[in-house]
Amino acid sequence: MNQNSNQLLGQPKNQFKIVESVYQQQQPQQQQQQQPRQQQSVSSKPVEESHCIRVRSKEVKAVHRMMLWFSGKKQQKLYQKMKKKHRYRKNVIAEIINTERTYVNDLAIICEKVKTSSLSILSPNDVQTIFMNCDEILAWNKEFLQEMEKGYSKYNLDKNQMPRPYQSVFYGNAQQLKTPDLVAFKCYYEYCSKFTKSNKHFEHLKANDQKFKEFLTQLNKNNTLRGMDLGSFLVKPIQRLPKYILLFKDLEKNTDEDYPDLPNIKEIHKYFKEVNEENNKFMDIFMGRLQLQQLSESLKINQEELLNEPQRIFKFEEKLTTIQPNAKHDEDCQVTVYALSDMLVVVQDEKVQKKLKLDSLSFVKNQSDNNKYFSNLFQIVGVGDTIQCIAETPAAKKKYIDLFEKLIQENREHEHEREKELGNQQIKMRYPVQVVVVGTEERNFQSFTKHTQYITEISINKVFQNIFIRYSEIEVMSIKYKQRYPRIELPQLPDKNWLMSHKTKSIEARKIAIENFLQALLQAKESQSDPDILNELKLPKNFFDLPDLYQSILKSNLTQKQQNFKRTTLEGKEELREKGINIEKLKISAGEILKAVYIEQETRKKSVVQICPNKVISYENSKDPSLQKIIITFPDGTETALGVTEQTRVREVLEYVAKYNHLVYYKDFRLYLVDQLKKQRVLDDDEVLFKVIDDERQNNHGILNKLEQMLAKSNAEVLIKMKKYIYLPAKLEESDYKEDPVRLINLAFSILDDVHDQKLQLGFKEYCLFAALYFHMKHQRLDDKLFGEVRRVIPSEMFQSSTDKEWKDLVTQCFKALDNELSTISKKNENDQIQKKPNSQYKHTDKKYLAAGVTLNAARTFVQSIMAIFQVQVYEGTQKYFKNLGLEVHPTIYLGLSIHKIHFLNPQRKEQFREIDYSRVNGVKSYPSQIIFDLQIFKEPIRFDTYQSYEIKSLVEQYQAIQKFDEEYELGHQFNIKH
C-alpha cells in the first residue's frame, strides 16, 4: 500500500498520542496552581502542637477501650461456642460408652443365660443354628469395651471436675483394630451371613415346638429379657454395626483438627465402614430393613408406616441445610435427611419435619445461582412436595445432587421393573420433566412494545431444550389448560400489574411461577398425550420419548468407548479425533478449536435438535406447503431464501446457510435480527426462527409502532443477517482465512458492517478508505451509478457531516491508490506461484481477496475490532465505590468482551481505560436489567444496568469455556497471545 493509505490507517493512533501529550502538559500546570492554595490554607490556620497531642491521646485511649471491649465480646462468643462443642462431644462419647456397656450386657444375657438354659430342651444343631457364634462376639466385645473404659476413665473425671476435652479416649481401641491377624469385628461376618437362616428356624420352633414355647414364656416370667422378645436380642449384633458408624461419624464431625484423639476416631470410623460394606454383601436388604426398623424406633415413627413397603430399605443419611419458606425471612436450618429407597425423612431437633415420597417422576433440580440472597441452591422434588436445600460450596452442591439423583434413578429402575413384573411387558418408563428459567431478556427495550422473554430450559432425563416465552403466553395457557384438565392442580399465577411488569421483583416472581406452572403441566400423566401443549412450547411431538430414542441411537451408532467422554488429555484428544476433529490443527486453527469446544459441550449436554433435527432446505427447491419462507442476508449483502418448519431452531439455519455459502468453519458467526428501529440483537441458538420473525412482525402493528418507525425512518422490514460474533487471536484467525477465501470475504464484510454500525471510531479519511475497500471487494470498480452504495459503509450521521462531492472525491482517490497497490501485489503473488515459492498457494491474485486482506489488517489497528461491545450504565453504588478508589468512571461506558479479557471503554471514543483477565472473574450473575461481576481485584461486586445482561453473561461463559478447553487439552495457551 502506498504512503497515503498507510498514513490514513495510522491516523487514529497519532491522534491518541496528541491527546495524551496535551493531557500530560496540563497536569503539571494544574498541580502548580493547586500547590500555592494548599500552602496558603495550611499557613492561615496555625494549630498548637501540644493541643494536637492531647486530642490524639484521648482518641487513642477511647479507641483502645473500644477495641478491648469488642475483643472481649468476640473471645466470649468463641468460648461459648467451644464450650458448647465440648459438651456435645462429651455426650456423644458418653453415648458410645453407655450403649456399648448395655450391648455387652445383652450379649452376656444371650450367651450365659439363654443359650445355656436352652441346652436342656434343644438339640445341639438347633442351638448352633439359633445362637450361631454369639460367644465369639461376646468375647471380642468385652475386650473392646475394656479398652474403651480405660480411655474413658482418663477423660471423665469425678463429678466435681470438668472432663478433659483433649484427653484421648479411643487410642487403645484404634491400636486393637490395627493388630495383625486379629479377627475383631470380622467375627460378625459369620453371624450376619447366617442370620436369615437362624431367624427362620427361630420362628419355626416358636410356632411348632411346645417345649421351646414354654421356655420363652419362662424367660419372660423371670424378666430375663426385660420384657422383650428373644428375637429382639438376637438381632442386636446386626443392629450394632451400623450404629457404630453413625456414632463415630457424628463424633468425627464434631472433633476439631487439633484434638489428639481425632486420628483414632477417624481410624475406627473408617474400619467400621469397611466392615459394614463387606458385611452388606452378605445381607444388603436385610440390613437395610433392620436399619429402617431402628430408625423407626429412634424417631418414634409408626413402624407400619415405614415398613409397610416390603422393598423399602435404609440407604444413607446426610446433614443438609434447608430453607423453610414459612419461616420468617426464609430462615435456613440444619436438618438430618434419612434416605430410604423410596422416601426421604427430614428430621430437625429429633422431630420428623417431613416425609417426602419418591417415585419415577421425582428428580433433583439444579437451581440457577442468579439470586440476590442465596447461592448453591438445589431442590429435591418428590410426590406432591419438595425439599429446598442450600449447600455451602459449589462442590458440595454437586456432591448432594449426584447422591440424590443416584438414589432416585435406582428407585425409578426398581419401580419400572415392578410394573413389568405385574404383566405389562410393553410399559414405557416415564421420565421426569424439569423446568428452569435460566435467564431473561428485554426485547424492544427502546420501544413501546417492550416486553420480557423468559429463557426457559426444559429437560427430560438430561435431554435439554431452551424455549423463549412471554409471561402473557403462559397466562393464556393457564386459562386454557385449567379448563381442559380440571383434575390437574396447576399453580395459581401472580396477578398481572402492567406498571410493575418490568420491575426485577415482579420478574423474579414470574420466573418461579413459570417454572411451577410448566412443571405441573408437563409432569401430569393425562396432559402428556396432548399435542397442543408441545406445539405451543415449540417442543417436538415425540418429546416424552426422547430419552428412549437417545439411548437407542447410542446403542446403534456408538461404541461403549464413544459413550464415555474421557477427561484425560490424551484419551480426550482421541475422542475428539473420532468425532471429526483434526487434532493437528487445534494449535493453529481458530475454527477447529471452536468446533471442538462445541462438540465437547454437546457431548456433556445433549440438545433436542441433535436427536430430532428439523427440516431446512432451499425455498426454491421446496414443494412442501407446510414450510415457511425466510430470507437470510450474508455479510456481503447477498440473500438466500430458505424453507423452514415452525420448530426450526436458529442453530439449524446457521449450519445450513454456512454449508450453502461453502463456509468451512462457522461457529464464530451468529444470526442477527435487525428490528423495526434498525436495532440489532444476536439470536440464541435455541430460538425458533419463524416465531422470532412472526413476533417482530406483530410488533410492527399499531399507531405507536408506526410513529416509532416514522421517527426512526424505518420501513419496518424484518431482517435476519449472518455476522461475525466470537473473536479469537489474530494468528489463529489468519490460519483459517488463508485456506478459505469464502471465510476471508465474510470476515471482511463483517468488519465493514461494524464500520457502518460505528463500532470503530473513525474519522473522515478512515471512512473513505473502508468505503474504497468495499467497492474493490463488491464490484472491483467504482462509478457514479455505484457510488450510492457508499451509504452501506458510512453511517448516515457521519455522511451528513460533509458534502457528497467531498465524499466522492476522497473515496475515488483512495480507490485508485488501492487499485495500483493491489495490482502490484497481485502480479508479485502470481510470479511467486509460478516459481512455486513457499506458501505461495495461500497468496491470492484476485484483487477482491487482496482487498479483503487489507480490510482485516486495517481493522486490526483498532482494538475494538476484536471484541463484542455492549453499552451499559454504571450502577450508582458502583460509581461511588470506584470514586472511593480514586477512579473516575463515566455513568455510561462500554464493555468489550474479547477472548482474552473484559475491556472497559470510555463513552467518547471507546478507548480502553481498564481490562480484566477472565481468570480473575469469580462469577457473573445476570438479572432482567442488570449484570454483576464478582472480580478478584475488587472487594465489592461491580454492577451495571443493561438489558443485554443474559447475552453478556453467555458470551463471557463461552470465552471461559474456550480458555478452559485450551488449558485442558494443552494447546500451548494460545489465548494468552497479546495482540
Side-chain angles (χ1 to χ4, degrees):
M1 194 178 296
N2 62 22
Q3 186 177 357
N4 292 333
S5 57
N6 284 330
Q7 288 176 349
L8 291 175
L9 288 175
Q11 187 67 24
K13 287 190 174 181
N14 293 334
Q15 290 177 354
F16 297 158
K17 290 180 180 178
I18 293 170
V19 173
E20 185 177 333
S21 63
V22 170
Y23 176 75
Q24 290 174 348
Q25 290 173 3
Q26 291 175 350
Q27 286 293 93
Q29 295 176 3
Q30 293 176 0
Q31 293 175 1
Q32 290 174 4
Q33 292 173 0
Q34 290 174 359
Q35 285 177 358
R37 294 178 184 177
Q38 293 174 355
Q39 294 172 0
Q40 184 179 358
S41 61
V42 170
S43 60
S44 62
K45 293 184 179 180
V47 180
E48 294 183 8
E49 186 177 356
S50 60
H51 176 71
C52 292
I53 294 173
R54 287 199 304 272
V55 172
R56 188 170 180 272
S57 63
K58 289 180 181 179
E59 291 176 349
V60 168
K61 288 179 180 179
V63 170
H64 184 64
R65 285 196 299 271
M66 290 295 290
M67 289 175 65
L68 288 175
W69 187 83
F70 280 114
S71 177
K73 285 287 184 181
K74 186 177 180 181
Q75 294 299 325
Q76 187 178 2
K77 287 182 180 179
L78 289 173
Y79 171 75
Q80 293 297 334
K81 187 177 180 181
M82 185 182 297
K83 185 178 177 182
K84 184 178 179 181
K85 197 166 189 178
H86 283 321
R87 191 185 303 120
Y88 186 83
R89 285 191 76 253
K90 177 189 173 185
N91 293 336
V92 176
I93 293 171
E95 185 180 0
I96 292 173
I97 302 295
N98 293 331
T99 55
E100 187 66 15
R101 289 169 180 165
T102 303
Y103 174 59
V104 171
N105 184 58
D106 289 342
L107 287 176
I109 292 172
I110 296 172
C111 298
E112 298 170 2
K113 294 184 179 181
V114 180
K115 182 181 178 182
T116 305
S117 303
S118 69
L119 292 173
S120 60
I121 61 168
L122 295 176
S123 68
N125 185 51
D126 288 338
V127 172
Q128 180 61 35
T129 302
I130 291 175
F131 296 99
M132 298 167 284
N133 64 330
C134 63
D135 294 311
E136 185 182 7
I137 292 174
L138 173 61
W140 162 247
N141 275 88
K142 280 184 176 179
E143 292 182 33
F144 194 67
L145 175 61
Q146 186 179 3
E147 204 62 45
M148 268 191 192
E149 297 280 14
K150 289 181 183 178
Y152 191 59
S153 63
K154 298 176 183 178
Y155 170 83
N156 196 40
L157 304 176
D158 60 76
K159 296 182 180 180
N160 296 326
Q161 293 179 294
M162 285 285 290
R164 296 175 178 175
Y166 289 92
Q167 176 66 43
S168 292
V169 179
F170 299 103
Y171 173 78
N173 297 112
Q175 294 304 310
Q176 273 182 311
L177 300 178
K178 290 180 181 179
T179 305
D181 302 324
L182 183 69
V183 176
F185 285 93
K186 293 176 184 177
C187 62
Y188 280 68
Y189 291 166
E190 180 182 345
Y191 194 92
C192 293
S193 64
K194 295 179 179 179
F195 185 80
T196 304
K197 180 181 177 181
S198 170
N199 192 52
K200 288 181 179 179
H201 193 62
F202 171 76
E203 294 295 336
H204 174 74
L205 292 176
K206 187 177 176 181
N208 299 295
D209 192 314
Q210 186 61 34
K211 289 184 179 181
F212 190 62
K213 285 183 183 180
E214 292 174 359
F215 173 72
L216 295 177
T217 303
Q218 189 62 36
L219 289 175
N220 287 330
K221 285 183 179 180
N222 297 338
N223 201 29
T224 304
L225 304 178
R226 303 195 301 276
M228 291 188 291
D229 182 69
L230 178 58
S232 300
F233 272 73
L234 292 173
V235 80
K236 285 184 180 293
I238 308 297
Q239 295 173 325
R240 188 60 182 168
L241 277 180
K243 186 67 175 177
Y244 282 131
I245 296 174
L246 296 177
L247 290 171
F248 278 97
K249 179 183 178 182
D250 195 16
L251 183 59
E252 180 183 332
K253 182 179 179 181
N254 289 280
T255 302
D256 293 331
E257 292 292 332
D258 60 344
Y259 278 70
D261 212 16
L262 182 60
N264 304 320
I265 296 169
K266 285 184 174 181
E267 191 70 35
I268 296 171
H269 182 204
K270 179 184 177 184
Y271 176 86
F272 279 122
K273 283 201 298 184
E274 290 173 353
V275 169
N276 199 54
E277 288 172 5
E278 185 67 27
N279 196 52
N280 285 345
K281 295 177 182 178
F282 296 107
M283 47 183 313
D284 189 21
I285 295 179
F286 192 81
M287 283 287 292
R289 294 291 288 179
L290 287 173
Q291 288 173 292
L292 190 59
Q293 183 179 357
Q294 183 183 9
L295 179 66
S296 175
E297 293 172 356
S298 65
L299 298 178
K300 299 179 181 179
I301 303 175
N302 186 351
Q303 289 197 9
E304 292 185 3
E305 187 178 352
L306 286 187
L307 299 173
N308 61 353
E309 173 57 53
Q311 299 296 323
R312 180 180 294 156
I313 63 172
F314 178 87
K315 301 292 284 188
F316 59 85
E317 71 166 284
E318 279 293 343
K319 301 283 187 183
L320 293 179
T321 303
T322 63
I323 298 176
Q324 302 291 346
N326 296 326
K328 292 182 179 180
H329 308 297
D330 288 336
E331 295 175 354
D332 57 303
C333 57
Q334 302 294 321
V335 300
T336 302
V337 176
Y338 295 95
L340 315 184
S341 53
D342 66 338
M343 181 185 291
L344 300 179
V345 181
V346 183
V347 176
Q348 181 185 9
D349 298 330
E350 300 182 355
K351 293 181 181 179
V352 177
Q353 298 293 325
K354 183 180 294 187
K355 292 190 285 291
L356 183 68
K357 185 74 173 65
L358 305 175
D359 66 1
S360 62
L361 298 182
S362 301
F363 61 91
V364 185
K365 180 186 286 188
N366 184 357
Q367 294 173 293
S368 170
D369 285 335
N370 284 335
N371 235 300
K372 288 190 175 180
Y373 305 105
F374 298 106
S375 59
N376 302 318
L377 293 171
F378 66 98
Q379 191 179 68
I380 305 172
V381 180
V383 180
D385 204 351
T386 62
I387 302 175
Q388 180 63 63
C389 307
I390 179 170
E392 292 182 358
T393 63
K397 174 181 175 179
K398 183 180 185 302
K399 170 199 162 187
Y400 292 135
I401 289 176
D402 292 343
L403 184 66
F404 287 103
E405 274 186 346
K406 181 181 178 182
L407 174 72
I408 291 170
Q409 181 61 27
E410 289 175 355
N411 179 58
R412 187 179 295 130
E413 291 170 358
H414 289 316
E415 187 175 307
H416 182 60
E417 289 300 320
R418 288 197 297 270
E419 289 179 351
K420 288 176 68 175
E421 289 171 3
L422 293 176
N424 188 358
Q425 297 296 322
Q426 301 298 321
I427 190 168
K428 289 185 177 181
M429 183 183 289
R430 295 179 67 208
Y431 297 95
V433 178
Q434 298 188 37
V435 181
V436 180
V437 177
V438 296
T440 58
E441 282 187 347
E442 293 291 331
R443 301 287 171 80
N444 300 333
F445 56 89
Q446 293 179 326
S447 167
F448 294 117
T449 57
K450 173 183 173 181
H451 64 274
T452 303
Q453 286 276 352
Y454 295 84
I455 307 164
T456 307
E457 183 183 80
I458 300 179
S459 62
I460 179 167
N461 200 37
K462 299 185 178 180
V463 179
F464 298 83
Q465 180 65 68
N466 281 355
I467 66 169
F468 294 72
I469 197 162
R470 296 175 64 167
Y471 187 71
S472 57
E473 294 175 293
I474 294 293
E475 288 179 316
V476 173
M477 291 182 69
S478 176
I479 296 170
K480 178 179 179 180
Y481 293 111
K482 278 184 177 180
Q483 294 175 351
R484 186 176 296 185
Y485 302 108
R487 293 183 181 179
I488 301 177
E489 295 184 7
L490 296 174
Q492 189 69 28
L493 299 178
D495 295 334
K496 192 167 184 177
N497 186 337
W498 185 81
L499 292 175
M500 300 293 292
S501 61
H502 296 287
K503 298 293 183 181
T504 300
K505 187 175 181 180
S506 177
I507 291 174
E508 293 288 343
R510 290 181 176 187
K511 284 168 64 175
I512 297 172
I514 290 172
E515 286 185 5
N516 294 337
F517 172 78
L518 291 179
Q519 188 82 60
L521 184 63
L522 293 170
Q523 196 87 308
K525 192 172 183 178
E526 57 185 301
S527 64
Q528 287 190 353
S529 58
D530 191 335
D532 290 345
I533 297 173
L534 297 178
N535 185 54
E536 289 180 44
L537 297 175
K538 303 303 179 186
L539 295 172
K541 295 178 182 179
N542 60 346
F543 175 76
F544 297 103
D545 299 326
L546 288 177
D548 293 330
L549 179 60
Y550 177 48
Q551 290 301 320
S552 65
I553 292 173
L554 282 180
K555 290 177 182 178
S556 60
N557 296 338
L558 300 177
T559 64
Q560 184 64 33
K561 182 182 177 183
Q562 288 173 314
Q563 291 180 39
N564 299 319
F565 191 83
K566 306 296 182 181
R567 304 308 310 145
T568 63
T569 301
L570 181 60
E571 292 174 327
K573 285 185 178 180
E574 289 304 313
E575 188 71 27
L576 290 173
R577 192 191 302 276
E578 291 180 9
K579 294 179 182 295
I581 297 298
N582 187 331
I583 302 301
E584 289 69 28
K585 291 189 68 175
L586 279 178
K587 288 194 174 184
I588 61 171
S589 169
E592 202 70 30
I593 290 172
L594 284 175
K595 181 180 174 183
V597 170
Y598 274 84
I599 284 178
E600 188 186 42
Q601 290 174 342
E602 290 168 356
T603 304
R604 295 172 178 172
K605 195 171 183 179
K606 193 61 62 177
S607 173
V608 168
V609 296
Q610 292 176 261
I611 304 171
C612 296
N614 295 289
K615 195 173 185 180
V616 184
I617 62 173
S618 173
Y619 191 76
E620 295 177 358
N621 302 328
S622 170
K623 296 181 180 179
D624 188 348
S626 65
L627 295 180
Q628 309 293 327
K629 181 181 179 181
I630 61 169
I631 305 294
I632 303 295
T633 303
F634 293 107
D636 63 354
T638 58
E639 298 178 345
T640 183
L642 302 180
V644 300
T645 69
E646 291 187 355
Q647 291 193 3
T648 302
R649 310 281 164 175
V650 167
R651 61 180 293 176
E652 296 172 299
V653 175
L654 180 61
E655 182 177 359
Y656 180 87
V657 296
K659 291 179 179 178
Y660 175 87
N661 202 22
H662 305 291
L663 194 59
V664 178
Y665 298 118
Y666 64 91
K667 293 296 186 181
D668 53 336
F669 284 84
R670 289 289 187 273
L671 295 184
Y672 282 73
L673 170 74
V674 183
D675 66 13
Q676 58 180 345
L677 300 178
K678 299 181 181 179
K679 298 293 182 181
Q680 300 182 28
R681 74 170 180 88
V682 64
L683 297 178
D684 191 276
D685 281 349
D686 287 321
E687 288 192 75
V688 176
L689 193 54
F690 180 75
K691 185 176 184 294
V692 168
I693 296 173
D694 188 56
D695 287 347
E696 191 60 37
R697 285 172 178 164
Q698 293 294 326
N699 291 334
N700 289 343
H701 297 294
I703 297 175
L704 293 177
N705 301 92
K706 295 297 181 183
L707 177 60
E708 282 184 304
Q709 295 165 29
M710 291 173 60
L711 293 173
K713 298 181 181 180
S714 169
N715 57 8
E717 285 295 321
V718 179
L719 179 64
I720 304 293
K721 67 178 181 179
M722 179 179 169
K723 188 178 174 183
K724 174 81 168 172
Y725 183 63
I726 295 177
Y727 299 87
L728 268 65
K731 287 186 178 180
L732 298 177
E733 296 268 15
E734 186 176 351
S735 173
D736 291 336
Y737 66 70
K738 274 185 177 181
E739 299 180 5
D740 185 0
V742 176
R743 180 176 182 80
L744 176 62
I745 290 296
N746 279 280
L747 290 176
F749 276 106
S750 289
I751 286 172
L752 295 182
D753 203 20
D754 290 338
V755 169
H756 180 269
D757 295 337
Q758 296 179 288
K759 179 180 176 181
L760 311 181
Q761 294 299 300
L762 308 176
F764 176 72
K765 294 180 180 179
E766 289 86 2
Y767 275 115
C768 290
L769 175 63
F770 280 111
L773 287 166
Y774 166 83
F775 288 111
H776 271 290
M777 289 189 293
K778 185 72 174 177
H779 304 291
Q780 293 82 52
R781 62 189 178 88
L782 175 59
D783 53 36
D784 292 343
K785 291 182 179 180
L786 294 175
F787 184 74
E789 295 182 20
V790 76
R791 303 290 288 271
R792 295 184 181 180
V793 180
I794 304 172
S796 297
E797 57 190 72
M798 185 65 191
F799 192 81
Q800 293 171 3
S801 64
S802 301
T803 64
D804 290 0
K805 185 178 183 306
E806 288 174 329
W807 284 111
K808 187 176 181 179
D809 289 345
L810 190 53
V811 169
T812 302
Q813 181 183 343
C814 289
F815 183 88
K816 290 178 179 179
L818 281 169
D819 189 56
N820 294 332
E821 189 73 22
L822 296 175
S823 296
T824 302
I825 297 172
S826 176
K827 290 178 182 178
K828 182 179 182 301
N829 291 347
E830 187 175 356
N831 291 331
D832 289 347
Q833 289 178 0
I834 294 172
Q835 297 174 18
K836 296 183 179 181
K837 290 186 177 181
N839 298 322
S840 60
Q841 68 272 25
Y842 302 127
K843 296 181 178 180
H844 298 290
T845 57
D846 191 328
K847 288 194 287 186
K848 176 175 72 172
Y849 298 117
L850 291 174
V854 173
T855 303
L856 295 181
N857 290 330
R860 204 173 293 167
T861 62
F862 300 90
V863 68
Q864 300 91 344
S865 66
I866 60 165
M867 62 182 73
I869 296 178
F870 305 88
Q871 188 180 52
V872 297
Q873 305 293 320
V874 183
Y875 182 65
E876 185 178 351
T878 298
Q879 289 186 54
K880 292 179 181 178
Y881 176 68
F882 278 145
K883 190 172 183 179
N884 292 335
L885 295 177
L887 299 173
E888 289 293 338
V889 178
H890 195 277
T892 300
I893 66 170
Y894 290 94
L895 289 183
L897 304 182
S898 70
I899 183 61
H900 314 281
K901 304 169 182 178
I902 300 174
H903 306 263
F904 296 87
L905 312 175
N906 65 37
Q908 289 79 25
R909 294 188 57 83
K910 297 180 183 175
E911 294 169 339
Q912 177 176 296
F913 63 87
R914 190 90 186 206
E915 60 180 28
I916 297 172
D917 293 336
Y918 289 121
S919 60
R920 293 193 169 191
V921 180
N922 294 330
V924 184
K925 292 186 178 181
S926 67
Y927 298 105
S929 58
Q930 284 186 341
I931 188 160
I932 300 176
F933 292 95
D934 182 8
L935 306 174
Q936 293 178 8
I937 61 173
F938 296 126
K939 293 182 179 180
E940 292 185 9
I942 306 303
R943 182 178 300 185
F944 302 100
D945 294 328
T946 172
Y947 290 110
Q948 295 174 286
S949 57
Y950 182 78
E951 183 183 343
I952 295 172
K953 178 176 181 287
S954 299
L955 188 54
V956 169
E957 291 173 348
Q958 185 64 54
Y959 279 137
Q960 287 178 322
I962 296 170
Q963 289 193 344
K964 182 179 178 182
F965 179 87
D966 170 62
E967 295 171 4
E968 185 175 343
Y969 289 94
E970 300 173 2
L971 302 181
H973 305 288
Q974 293 291 326
F975 307 123
N976 290 332
I977 296 173
K978 294 183 178 180
H979 285 258

